[in-house]
C-alpha cells in the first residue's frame, strides 16, 4: 500500500498487515463535521461541498447511495476516480467509462487534494472525500460520518422525503452499524489481506458467524433495524452486493455465497430494487396529485448506483499481493432484479421510496 508521509508520496511506507499477519486498517484522518448550526465552521449549503468517490469502493458507495436516495445530487456535486488504483493511488481518467475529471481542481491524482488540505499530511489516500470548495479543504473522509451528515444536516437541500436515520430508531441503527463493521464490512478485508493462517481463520469465523446471525434476524423482519430501511441497511448492502463477485473468490471468503443464504439473498435483492418513487410532490410541486403506492415506479434506485464493472476491475487488478496477474474473474451473473418476496414481511420503505413487488 502507498501513502503520504509528511506530504510526500511514498510507495513503501504503509503495510496492511500487523506483526501477527492480521489486517491493520488506518483510521480516517479528516473528521470535521458539517453542522446545521450558525456557529459551525462547516455549515450546509447547496453547491459548497464536493464529493470524491470510487464506484468500486464499498465505503464510498455508502455515500453515493445516501446522496441519491435523499435527493442531494443538485446540492452536492461529485467526481469519480478510476477503478484501477496504481502506484500513484486513486487517479482521474475522464476518458474512461464511468470516470470523470476532478471537477473542482482538475488535478490528476486524489493525493494532490490531500496535500492541498494538509501539506504535511501523513496518511493513506482514500475515498470518499467530502471537500469544502469555500475553505478549500477536506472536511471529512470517513464514510459513516459523511453518510450521517447527508442525512441529518442537509435536509433543507434534499429533494426526496427520505430519512435514513429516523427518530426512534437511532440507538438501534448505531448499534447495528457497530455490530456489522468489524466482522462483515471490515471482515472481508481482514480475511483477504491476512498474511498468516491464524488471523485469516479468525476473520472467516467472525464473518460467517455474523452472516448467519443476520440471516436469522432477517427471517422475521424486512430490514436490519426493523420495519424500514436505514443507514444500517446501506452499510450492509455495499458489502453484500460485492460478496459473490469479489470477496468470495478474491478475498477467499468462500465458505458460502450470499446467494445461498435463505434470507440475506432476498434481502439484498429487495434493497437493490428499492428506489425513490416518481411522486412529483416530493420534488415540491403541490399542484400534482400523489400517485397511489401501487402505481408508483422508481425514479432512481439503489441498483443504479452499483457499477459491477468498476467493482471487479478494481479488486482484481489493484491488489497484486492477492491476485498478481490482474485477471478479472468472469462470473457470477446474479439476478439482482429477480422477485424477492420480502414485502410479505412486516414493514415497508418510507412513502418516498418504492420497491419492486414480490409478484413481478
Amino acid at each position: 500500500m502507498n501513502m503520504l508521509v509528511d506530504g510526500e508520496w511514498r510507495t513503501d511506507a504503509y503495510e496492511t498487515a500487523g506483526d501477527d499477519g492480521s489486517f491493520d486498517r488506518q483510521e480516517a484522518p479528516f473528521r470535521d463535521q458539517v453542522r446545521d448550526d450558525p456557529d459551525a465552521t462547516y455549515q450546509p449549503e447547496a453547491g459548497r461541498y464536493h464529493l470524491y468517490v470510487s464506484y468500486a469502493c464499498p465505503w464510498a458507495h455508502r455515500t453515493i447511495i445516501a446522496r441519491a436516495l435523499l435527493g442531494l445530487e443538485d446540492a452536492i456535486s461529485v467526481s469519480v476516480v478510476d477503478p484501477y488504483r496504481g502506484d500513484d493511488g486513486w487517479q482521474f481518467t475522464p476518458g474512461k467509462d464511468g470516470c470523470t475529471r476532478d471537477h473542482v481542481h482538475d488535478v490528476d491524482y486524489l493525493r494532490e487534494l490531500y496535500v492541498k488540505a494538509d501539506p504535511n499530511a501523513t496518511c493513506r489516500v482514500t475515498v470518499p472525500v467530502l471537500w469544502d470548495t469555500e475553505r478549500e479543504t477536506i472536511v471529512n473522509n470517513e464514510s459513516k460520518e459523511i453518510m450521517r451528515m447527508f442525512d441529518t444536516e442537509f435536509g433543507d437541500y434534499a429533494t426526496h422525503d427520505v430519512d435514513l436515520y429516523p427518530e426512534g430508531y437511532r440507538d438501534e441503527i448505531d448499534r447495528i452499524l457497530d455490530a456489522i463493521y468489524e466482522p462483515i464490512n471490515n471482515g472481508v478485508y481482514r480475511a483477504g489481506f491476512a498474511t498468516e493462517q491464524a488471523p485469516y481463520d479468525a476473520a472467516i469465523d467472525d464473518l460467517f458467524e455474523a452472516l448467519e446471525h443476520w440471516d436469522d434476524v432477517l427471517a422475521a423482519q424486512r430490514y436490519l433495524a426493523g420495519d424500514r430501511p436505514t443507514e444500517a441497511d446501506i452499510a450492509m448492502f455495499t458489502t453484500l452486493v460485492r460478496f459473490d463477485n469479489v470477496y468470495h473468490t478474491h478475498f477467499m471468503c468462500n465458505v458460502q455465497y450470499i446467494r445461498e443464504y435463505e434470507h440475506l439473498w432476498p434481502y439484498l435483492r429487495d434493497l437493490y430494487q428499492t428506489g425513490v418513487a416518481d411522486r412529483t410532490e416530493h420534488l415540491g410541486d403541490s399542484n400534482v396529485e400523489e400517485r397511489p403506492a401501487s402505481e408508483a415506479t422508481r425514479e432512481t434506485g439503489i441498483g443504479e448506483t452499483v457499477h459491477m464493472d468498476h467493482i471487479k476491475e478494481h479488486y482484481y487488478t489493484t491488489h497484486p499481493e492477492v491476485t498478481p496477474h490482474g485477471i478479472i474473474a468472469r462470473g457470477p451473473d446474479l439476478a439482482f432484479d429477480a422477485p424477492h418476496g420480502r414485502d410479505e414481511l412486516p414493514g415497508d420503505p418510507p412513502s418516498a421510496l418504492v420497491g419492486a413487488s414480490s409478484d413481478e
Side-chain angles (χ1 to χ4, degrees), residues 183-202:
I184 297 177
N185 301 143
N186 196 43
V188 293
Y189 290 90
R190 290 169 55 210
F193 288 138
T195 60
E196 300 287 346
Q197 189 69 45
Y200 165 78
D201 287 340

Side-chain angles (χ1 to χ4, degrees), residues 9 52-53 79-95 99-114 116 125 127:
W9 186 244
Y52 290 94
V53 299
S79 294
V80 183
V81 298
D82 193 306
Y84 173 70
R85 189 184 64 211
D87 287 343
D88 286 311
W90 294 111
Q91 61 186 359
F92 298 96
T93 53
C99 305
T100 73
R101 67 179 182 88
D102 168 18
H103 294 298
V104 178
H105 298 99
D106 208 26
V107 300
D108 293 323
Y109 298 100
L110 188 66
R111 57 186 167 87
E112 297 176 69
L113 301 177
Y114 274 66
K116 284 181 181 290
V125 174
V127 286

Side-chain angles (χ1 to χ4, degrees), residues 300-314:
T300 185
I302 292 177
E304 281 73 40
T305 70
V306 178
H307 294 253
M308 195 59 71
D309 55 341
H310 278 225
I311 291 168
K312 293 175 74 170
E313 178 181 348
H314 170 71

Side-chain angles (χ1 to χ4, degrees), residues 242-360:
R242 287 161 171 78
F243 200 98
D244 287 10
N245 272 281
V246 172
Y247 302 141
H248 182 277
T249 301
H250 179 59
F251 279 171
M252 300 175 292
C253 299
N254 60 352
V255 173
Q256 188 168 332
Y257 288 105
I258 295 301
R259 64 181 183 269
E260 295 174 331
Y261 284 93
E262 182 179 1
H263 306 294
L264 282 172
W265 174 226
Y267 163 79
L268 175 58
R269 301 200 308 273
D270 188 5
L271 292 176
Y272 185 94
Q273 296 169 36
T274 297
V276 179
D278 64 347
R279 296 174 180 146
T280 311
E281 83 289 349
H282 290 302
L283 301 180
D285 188 348
S286 59
N287 296 318
V288 179
E289 184 177 354
E290 179 178 356
R291 295 177 62 186
S294 61
E295 298 180 8
T297 58
R298 289 191 313 157
E299 179 181 273
T300 185
I302 292 177
E304 281 73 40
T305 70
V306 178
H307 294 253
M308 195 59 71
D309 55 341
H310 278 225
I311 291 168
K312 293 175 74 170
E313 178 181 348
H314 170 71
Y315 282 97
Y316 285 107
T317 65
T318 296
H319 305 132
E321 69 276 24
V322 181
T323 45
H325 302 297
I327 296 172
I328 301 172
R330 181 174 297 180
D333 184 13
L334 300 176
F336 291 116
D337 289 322
H340 52 74
R342 298 286 295 174
D343 48 3
E344 301 299 322
L345 291 169
D348 291 296
S351 61
L353 297 180
V354 64
S357 171
S358 63
D359 59 359
E360 282 187 345

Side-chain angles (χ1 to χ4, degrees), residues 162-196:
V162 174
D163 188 353
L164 299 170
Y165 191 58
E167 295 282 355
Y169 294 76
R170 293 185 172 185
D171 288 346
E172 181 67 356
I173 293 168
D174 289 338
R175 183 191 71 80
I176 294 169
L177 286 170
D178 288 342
I180 67 175
Y181 170 76
E182 193 60 33
I184 297 177
N185 301 143
N186 196 43
V188 293
Y189 290 90
R190 290 169 55 210
F193 288 138
T195 60
E196 300 287 346

Side-chain angles (χ1 to χ4, degrees), residues 44-51 67 70-78 130 133 150 154 156-159:
E45 298 176 29
R48 176 173 172 176
Y49 299 97
H50 190 77
L51 183 66
R67 175 177 174 266
L70 295 166
L72 290 170
E73 292 97 330
D74 291 338
I76 300 171
S77 53
V78 69
L130 186 64
T133 62
F150 285 178
F154 284 87
D156 289 344
Y157 307 101
T159 60

